[in-house]
Amino acid sequence: MRRLLIIAVTTAALVTGCTTEPSSDPGSPDPETTAQRGGDDGDGNGTTDRPDDLADDLVLAASLTTFDACDDLEAHLKDTALEMVGPWGLEGGGGSGPMPVDRMVEDTDDAATEESASADGAAGAVGSNEAGTNVQEAGVDEPDHVKTDGSHLYLVSGEALRILDVTGDDPVEVSTIPLRDAYGAQLLLTGDRLLVSSSAPQAVPFASELPASSRPADEPSSSDGDAMFGGYGFSGTTTLTLVDVADPSAPEVLERLTVDGSTVSARLIDGVARVVVRTEQGNLPWQFPDATGLRAERRALEANRQVILDSEVEDWLPYAVHETADGQVREGTLLDCGQVNRPARFSGLGMLSVLTVDVDSGDLDVDPGQVVGVLAGGDTVYASVDALYVATSRWIDWEAISGDDALQRRWAEVTTEIHRFDLEAAERADYAASGEVPGRLLNQWAMSEHDGVLRVASTSGDPWGGGADVSESYVTTLQQDGNELVELGQVDGLGLTERIYAVRFIDDVGYVVTFRETDPLYTIDLADPRAPRMTGELKILGYSAYLHPIGDDRLLGIGQDADDRGRVKGTQLSLFDVSDPNDPREVDKVVLTDASSDAEHDHRAFMHHPGSGLTVVPFTRWSFDQATGAEDVDTGAIGFGVRDGAIEQRGRLAHVPAWLDDLRAELQGRDTAEFDDEDWRDQERLWQWGHRGRINRSLVLDDRLFTVSELGVGVHELMSLEDSGWLGFDR
């Protein structure tokens, strides 16, 4: 059974139901002729906006352009690909053709192991979201591997979906559904419907033997006439599985949709999910050099050019397979040609696709005419209740850059385009407008919509370039005007030579943390979006990677302590008083020496419960003995509270079994220089059990704290944090 690995591919898309029609335009360019004259990007000037145009002055991104017909889309793709193709395909590889999809969810006769207890328990306070996930915006749920309806936990553990009744003292597993290709699967829950999203990479062998017409007469072919093996490329698929959990003890798989590409992210609003997927450039059989040397590369290059010329538009569009519980299958491309858009500037040959799935109604058979595609890469998704924003970085051919001056110029020219999709229609996401900001975004927290204005934090320049290339950060305000996101105002000059590590927008105030050797916390007044201004700055050692409001005028930062040279020293909790935006102050901090926390890079691992004031932060402390090579891991979570302006530790939570501490103490007392095989087996057990006991999620239900790790689910008293229940997972 293959295990899932969610990977970031360079470009993106999902697409369904494109039908190729003869072009109604008798003047449609011939792909080969157009490529020879340099291509045409549709603006009438006979040129394609390619990487070598990057020295042009920066301008605001224009709106997306929709292709009128499949012939137009095909010509654009071929023209551009012919300029980029090499002996190893496009940018060193390519996609694969449609691959058979293994069933991800299998029904089993013994799926329901125990009867569920009463399911009428009301959901308690669970952080920022009723489904148990710490989310960015109220009313906008985000994917996570743990969800709750108040009486049950739905969680992905290993390659299984587990459903637990949590109404009793100890959690009880009432059903389990095996998952394939689902390591790291994510869940969205609404009512009695659970949407499981998983992505799986596939290594695809490529043949390298060239067609006979392209091979010299004296060049030998493979002895059996089959194509010679040339190497591996990589493709990925995303599977959406809809599960009916009206009876948690007997969940029912309703249908499944599998598409080319990897999930970027998804959002759930009022029972409707918007899933953003990106795919690589084209499902084409690229040829690889069959020998070393220039001649082999030249032959492969010519063969790949022919592959492009022989391709059809369907070869460039992601494929989709929809299956129902009764075995009915529909397949085809994911979206119509008329739903594909391209940015004003070249942003790659992959496609970014936005799917709309009505989870409440239980229908995964998406309409190809209601999937929106953008010819661009994309890696950042943010959503308010009204709009979905997808950020795509400007495409740059870094390998073609030579010289420090050129590299600095390219860094300075890196920009991020932001595409807004309106969510007013429940059955689709409508493209609304595009805009541009300098530099790159850190993550979803770099965007926030408030009163119709989008606020964006970004960093330009090379933050690792030292004095040769000075980086700086910005906060830009944008508002839709027609089909453009027009800049209203901007604060620049933040964190010179540094980059952004954390962002939080709260009402009319923005908080930005930059870091290189010290941690400036900037406060940004956004009350007038046409004249935003930096009002306060606090410089301290270390940095915050995640910021969370924990009451009136208090902000908690989770990150790393550091010395005056920027070397990190361990997980740091910083309590900031932001009552005066002109004078933010750090009033207390706690350092977990030599530790790191998942909450530093995944906000869903952080939990703050306003009712009790409890904050739970997971941690992991690694140690390595250089003399012996022995490794150890100390892991768990710590509960904190704030009293009288100070951070106080309420208790420590752990999932590792009690015997592990005894084994650790015993190993530490041994002479590691004389470890035998049994000693090393004990050392390996110590490391593996410690790693699996990492607490990665916590939530509050009915005044009890639940914590989740690979080993199981723990239950703790909310105020004392004493253990009160446990369910271990069989592995």
Side-chain angles (χ1 to χ4, degrees):
M1 181 176 294
R2 293 189 304 275
R3 306 188 73 187
L4 169 91
L5 173 65
I6 297 182
I7 58 174
V9 291
T10 51
T11 48
L14 276 175
V15 213
T16 284
C18 171
T19 57
T20 305
E21 299 176 357
S23 173
S24 59
D25 180 7
S28 297
D30 173 78
E32 186 170 7
T33 303
T34 305
Q36 291 171 350
R37 68 168 184 260
D40 190 341
D41 64 2
D43 60 6
N45 63 12
T47 62
T48 301
D49 191 1
R50 302 285 298 116
D52 41 350
D53 296 325
L54 290 180
D56 297 340
D57 292 338
L58 296 182
V59 295
L60 284 177
S63 60
L64 297 176
T65 300
T66 304
F67 291 94
D68 294 330
C70 287
D71 283 355
D72 297 332
L73 173 59
E74 180 178 329
H76 174 81
L77 293 168
K78 287 184 175 181
D79 292 348
T80 310
L82 285 168
E83 296 179 16
M84 297 175 60
V85 72
W88 300 89
L90 292 173
E91 297 181 357
S96 69
M99 299 294 294
V101 180
D102 294 331
R103 180 165 297 278
M104 189 191 79
V105 178
E106 295 179 324
D107 295 324
T108 55
D109 293 336
D110 57 350
T113 56
E114 296 187 37
E115 290 299 318
S116 171
S118 172
D120 58 0
V126 288
S128 304
N129 179 264
E130 290 183 354
T133 301
N134 177 27
V135 299
Q136 184 174 1
E137 296 285 355
V140 183
D141 196 13
E142 301 178 20
D144 202 356
H145 67 258
V146 179
K147 292 292 179 182
T148 184
D149 59 8
S151 59
H152 291 81
L153 287 185
Y154 305 87
L155 59 90
V156 177
S157 173
E159 296 181 342
L161 169 65
R162 300 177 185 268
I163 302 180
L164 313 182
D165 180 353
V166 292
T167 57
D169 293 338
D170 291 316
V172 176
E173 186 170 301
V174 296
S175 58
T176 302
I177 300 178
L179 306 177
R180 291 182 178 176
D181 291 338
Y183 184 78
Q186 302 288 293
L187 310 175
L188 288 169
L189 176 67
T190 175
D192 295 332
R193 296 287 188 269
L194 189 69
L195 184 67
V196 184
S197 172
S198 61
S199 295
Q202 297 171 336
V204 181
F206 287 100
S208 66
E209 180 165 309
L210 308 182
S213 59
S214 303
R215 191 173 59 244
D218 58 351
E219 184 75 21
S221 62
S222 53
S223 58
D224 59 2
D226 294 331
M228 293 186 290
F229 176 73
Y232 281 97
F234 290 90
S235 178
T237 59
T238 287
T239 298
L240 302 177
T241 302
L242 191 62
V243 183
D244 186 334
V245 292
D247 181 357
S249 65
E252 180 184 359
V253 177
L254 300 178
E255 51 186 313
R256 181 185 58 157
L257 176 69
T258 303
V259 299
D260 287 330
S262 299
T263 303
V264 179
S265 192
R267 295 295 186 270
L268 180 71
I269 303 170
D270 293 333
V272 178
R274 319 288 177 160
V275 184
V276 182
V277 180
R278 60 188 178 193
T279 57
E280 297 180 77
Q281 55 255 355
N283 301 313
L284 303 176
W286 303 116
Q287 304 297 308
F288 289 172
D290 57 352
T292 59
L294 183 59
R295 287 196 303 170
E297 290 191 0
R298 295 288 294 172
R299 290 195 298 269
L301 171 60
E302 290 306 312
N304 285 333
R305 289 179 59 84
Q306 192 60 49
V307 166
I308 294 172
L309 293 172
D310 292 341
S311 67
E312 298 180 353
V313 70
E314 290 91 344
D315 298 324
W316 296 89
L317 298 178
Y319 207 66
V321 177
H322 176 258
E323 301 174 64
T324 61
D326 58 5
Q328 297 184 27
V329 177
R330 183 193 64 80
E331 55 186 291
T333 53
L334 181 63
L335 79 162
D336 293 331
C337 296
Q339 295 297 104
V340 179
N341 307 271
R342 64 178 178 87
R345 280 200 290 256
F346 179 74
S347 298
L349 285 177
M351 204 177 320
L352 190 71
S353 297
V354 181
L355 288 73
T356 298
V357 177
D358 190 338
V359 182
D360 269 344
S361 70
D363 184 9
L364 289 183
D365 192 7
V366 296
D367 184 341
Q370 295 178 346
V371 177
V372 183
V374 181
L375 282 174
D379 52 16
T380 307
V381 171
Y382 160 76
S384 66
V385 294
D386 300 316
L388 178 81
Y389 294 88
V390 181
T392 66
S393 294
R394 183 180 181 185
W395 193 94
I396 290 181
D397 186 358
W398 294 102
E399 295 182 358
I401 299 173
S402 61
D404 291 341
D405 291 343
L407 182 61
Q408 291 176 32
R409 188 168 63 253
R410 290 300 189 267
W411 269 113
E413 293 171 348
V414 170
T415 61
T416 296
E417 291 187 349
I418 300 173
H419 308 294
R420 184 184 193 273
F421 298 88
D422 187 87
L423 303 182
E424 182 177 357
E427 67 275 10
R428 65 185 183 277
D430 293 319
Y431 168 70
S434 296
E436 186 174 68
V437 296
R440 298 185 177 188
L441 310 189
L442 172 68
N443 52 31
Q444 68 185 63
W445 298 91
M447 292 185 282
S448 171
E449 185 185 75
H450 182 65
D451 291 339
V453 175
L454 179 68
R455 296 87 63 86
V456 184
S458 60
T459 299
S460 69
D462 181 3
W464 300 277
D469 183 24
V470 177
S471 61
E472 67 175 306
S473 295
Y474 311 77
V475 172
T476 307
T477 56
L478 304 166
Q479 189 170 48
Q480 183 174 344
D481 182 5
N483 53 16
E484 292 189 9
L485 294 175
V486 178
E487 179 181 315
L488 298 179
Q490 186 179 82
V491 175
D492 59 10
L494 303 176
L496 297 179
T497 76
E498 301 175 338
R499 71 174 178 88
I500 291 176
Y501 270 67
V503 184
R504 188 80 189 222
F505 294 99
I506 303 174
D507 296 330
D508 289 329
V509 181
Y511 302 95
V512 178
V513 172
T514 63
F515 178 74
R516 188 184 183 96
E517 294 177 351
T518 59
D519 168 7
L521 169 66
Y522 298 99
T523 56
I524 312 296
D525 182 354
L526 297 163
D528 182 358
R530 295 185 179 277
R533 58 194 182 95
M534 191 267 286
T535 58
E537 177 182 359
L538 169 67
K539 287 190 176 182
I540 57 176
L541 295 178
Y543 64 86
S544 295
Y546 174 66
L547 300 170
H548 195 93
I550 58 168
D552 293 339
D553 302 325
R554 292 292 187 271
L555 200 62
L556 187 66
I558 309 296
Q560 284 282 312
D561 187 22
D563 61 22
D564 57 6
R565 299 180 62 184
R567 293 176 297 193
V568 297
K569 300 164 61 177
T571 295
Q572 175 177 271
L573 281 73
S574 299
L575 180 63
F576 300 105
D577 181 341
V578 292
S579 57
D580 182 357
N582 300 308
D583 184 28
R585 295 181 298 117
E586 183 184 54
V587 295
D588 197 14
K589 74 174 183 178
V590 173
V591 178
L592 308 178
T593 305
D594 295 331
S596 62
S597 174
D598 286 350
E600 296 173 32
H601 56 82
D602 185 353
H603 63 277
R604 298 168 301 178
F606 175 92
M607 191 216 74
H608 175 70
H609 182 244
S612 64
L614 175 66
T615 295
V616 177
V617 178
F619 78 93
T620 301
R621 183 179 288 112
W622 304 88
S623 62
F624 177 73
D625 189 324
Q626 293 184 344
T628 65
E631 294 182 87
D632 191 12
V633 55
D634 180 20
T635 186
I638 297 180
F640 295 94
V642 174
R643 177 181 297 178
D644 298 328
I647 303 172
E648 61 176 10
Q649 182 173 324
R650 292 189 179 178
R652 174 170 169 169
L653 307 162
H655 280 195
V656 294
W659 58 261
L660 203 62
D661 287 334
D662 296 335
L663 178 59
R664 178 180 290 111
E666 183 180 343
L667 283 170
Q668 290 174 346
R670 299 179 191 175
D671 184 355
T672 54
E674 299 179 1
F675 265 20
D676 58 20
D677 289 345
E678 184 175 350
D679 293 325
W680 283 113
R681 281 193 292 271
D682 284 343
Q683 178 68 51
E684 181 68 13
R685 290 174 65 207
L686 182 70
W687 189 89
Q688 288 185 354
W689 278 87
H691 177 77
R692 290 170 53 194
R694 295 173 61 188
I695 293 174
N696 51 58
R697 294 293 185 271
S698 54
L699 63 156
V700 174
L701 293 172
D702 294 331
D703 294 327
R704 293 186 297 166
L705 174 67
F706 290 79
T707 54
V708 180
S709 74
E710 290 185 21
L711 293 181
V713 174
V715 188
H716 321 272
E717 297 295 334
L718 182 59
M719 301 309 295
S720 68
L721 299 188
E722 293 182 359
D723 296 341
S724 61
W726 171 256
L727 173 66
F729 297 148
D730 295 331
R731 302 287 295 184

